[in-house]
Amino acid sequence: MADMTSKISAGLERAFAARGFAEPSVEDLRDAAGVSLRTLYKYVPSRADMVLAALENRHQRYLSRIFDGLPDVPEDATDEIFARVGSWMATETSHGCLFHAAVAADPNSARLRALLERHKAEVASRAAAATGLAAAETELLVIIEGLTQAWPICGEAAAEAAKRLGHALRISLG
């Protein structure tokens, strides 16, 4: 059952990341998930649930890709986090944050807003812990969010700027 949920969630994530939240039809989502319509609705009974399942999948993949196996040295971990966010943007999406896009597509969804807030809070908390900058969760999140939003315009230069800002933050908190 968990394998089927993972398969469906991964397919839905790919479909929404590639085509946005409004464009894919239910048939497109079924095809992306690689299951029958009956199975799709068994695991995710509504389009809103499909979006949430896709974002939960993305949340776990993002956290793993950005934070697993970071260097033990906090200064090195800081640079590595920003490099990995840049790599994520280059390979996973060049359009900005899928979580923000989901909330923009359905601004009245309390469930989406809660998921966005949980995702960003966990990113900030894990970044602060990995970098040894426990008092700078908000600042690190602002740098990561800035990198994510600047990537479509600046590309790799955004990741390099984030690294410089990370160094400046470490010095200012010195």
Side-chain angles (χ1 to χ4, degrees):
M1 188 162 184
D3 288 343
M4 183 60 72
T5 301
S6 295
K7 174 186 175 181
I8 290 170
S9 297
L12 293 171
E13 178 197 345
R14 284 189 303 276
F16 289 128
R19 299 180 61 196
F21 293 98
E23 183 183 331
S25 67
V26 173
E27 290 76 20
D28 293 334
L29 296 172
R30 175 205 61 209
D31 292 347
V35 297
S36 69
L37 197 55
R38 180 182 173 134
T39 300
L40 179 63
Y41 277 119
K42 176 183 175 184
Y43 285 89
V44 282
S46 70
R47 190 174 186 96
D49 290 325
M50 291 177 197
V51 170
L52 290 168
L55 291 174
E56 282 290 349
N57 190 74
R58 192 164 189 93
H59 172 70
Q60 293 306 320
R61 283 191 335 102
Y62 183 83
L63 293 177
S64 177
R65 177 117 165 240
I66 303 305
F67 297 108
D68 288 357
L70 285 171
D72 292 332
V73 177
E75 294 82 1
D76 295 342
T78 305
D79 282 351
E80 185 64 21
I81 288 169
F82 299 136
R84 289 180 182 186
V85 172
S87 174
W88 174 273
M89 294 303 296
T91 60
E92 297 289 333
T93 181
S94 60
H95 308 295
C97 177
L98 196 62
F99 292 87
H100 284 294
V103 171
D106 189 0
N108 296 320
S109 172
R111 291 172 31 184
L112 280 177
R113 187 163 300 282
L115 179 54
L116 168 69
E117 290 172 6
R118 179 171 58 88
H119 173 70
K120 298 304 180 180
E122 192 163 349
V123 167
S125 173
R126 290 186 68 174
T131 62
L133 298 170
E137 279 189 17
T138 300
E139 291 86 345
L140 288 165
L141 183 60
V142 167
I143 295 170
I144 291 168
E145 289 294 294
L147 166 53
T148 301
Q149 294 305 310
W151 183 269
I153 300 163
C154 303
E156 188 59 39
E160 293 305 315
K163 290 176 187 179
R164 289 190 300 276
L165 290 169
H167 289 280
L169 176 61
R170 184 170 300 288
I171 290 167
S172 74
L173 295 175

